[in-house]
């Protein structure tokens, strides 16, 4: 059995793993959001993607707790996952999505200008 310092170390590793898992899970959700920006989808497909994503989240958290903490649920572990998600969302995700939306807007505006220019040329 681990001593007190060993147990504290194991719980600190669990918390760090939960923070990392939260960031990873938000990264995965960002991939879904980016795909939705690039390729619009029907609402039933979005619902299915979200359902599968949350199944993945549940299995990932359960697997982490099972491997690192013998399946014992700790409130700080769940809080760590949510905190990791929130930190990733605030620092990384928002900035990436803002930049991507601006790029897509410029592409759309450029496409519309070219389309309008071609239309004017064909009318002459």
């Amino acid at each position: 059995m681990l001593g007190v310092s060993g147990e504290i170390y194991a719980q600190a590793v669990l918390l760090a793993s939960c923070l990392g898992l939260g960031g990873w899970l938000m990264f995965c959700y960002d991939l879904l959001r980016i795909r939705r920006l690039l390729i619009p989808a029907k609402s039933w497909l979005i619902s299915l993607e979200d359902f599968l994503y949350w199944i993945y989240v549940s299995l990932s958290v359960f697997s982490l707790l099972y491997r690192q903490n013998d399946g014992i649920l700790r409130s700080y572990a769940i809080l760590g996952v949510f905190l990791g998600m929130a930190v990733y969302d605030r620092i990384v995700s928002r900035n990436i999505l803002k930049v991507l939306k601006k790029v897509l807007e410029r592409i759309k505006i450029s496409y519309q200008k070219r389309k309008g220019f071609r239309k004017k040329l064909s009318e002459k």
Side-chain angles (χ1 to χ4, degrees):
M1 186 170 145
L2 295 172
V4 173
S5 62
E7 184 65 28
I8 291 172
Y9 176 77
Q11 297 304 308
V13 169
L14 174 64
L15 179 59
S17 298
C18 289
L19 290 167
L21 179 62
W24 168 253
L25 293 173
M26 276 307 293
F27 171 76
C28 292
Y29 196 70
D30 265 356
L31 294 178
L32 283 176
R33 292 195 291 188
I34 290 169
R35 192 205 60 76
R36 291 173 188 168
L37 281 173
L38 298 174
I39 306 167
K42 303 222 183 248
S43 62
W44 69 268
L45 183 58
I46 291 172
S47 298
L48 179 63
E49 288 173 345
D50 284 343
F51 179 73
L52 294 174
Y53 169 77
W54 284 107
I55 287 175
Y56 174 70
V57 168
S58 301
L59 293 173
S60 297
V61 172
F62 175 78
S63 175
L64 177 74
L65 289 174
Y66 184 76
R67 282 182 283 115
Q68 290 194 1
N69 205 37
D70 296 325
I72 299 170
L73 184 61
R74 303 270 187 203
S75 58
Y76 69 86
I78 301 301
L79 184 64
V81 172
F82 284 124
L83 185 60
M85 293 173 103
V87 168
Y88 178 89
D89 183 56
R90 299 282 184 209
I91 295 173
V92 179
S93 180
R94 288 186 181 194
N95 295 322
I96 288 174
L97 291 175
K98 280 181 189 176
V99 169
L100 184 62
K101 284 181 181 179
K102 285 182 182 178
V103 168
L104 289 175
E105 285 175 18
R106 286 187 180 170
I107 290 171
K108 186 176 179 180
I109 290 169
S110 175
Y111 174 75
Q112 288 173 346
K113 283 182 181 178
R114 279 190 268 141
K115 188 177 175 182
F117 181 72
R118 286 184 195 151
K119 190 175 183 179
K120 286 181 184 177
L121 284 177
S122 66
E123 290 174 356
K124 289 184 180 181

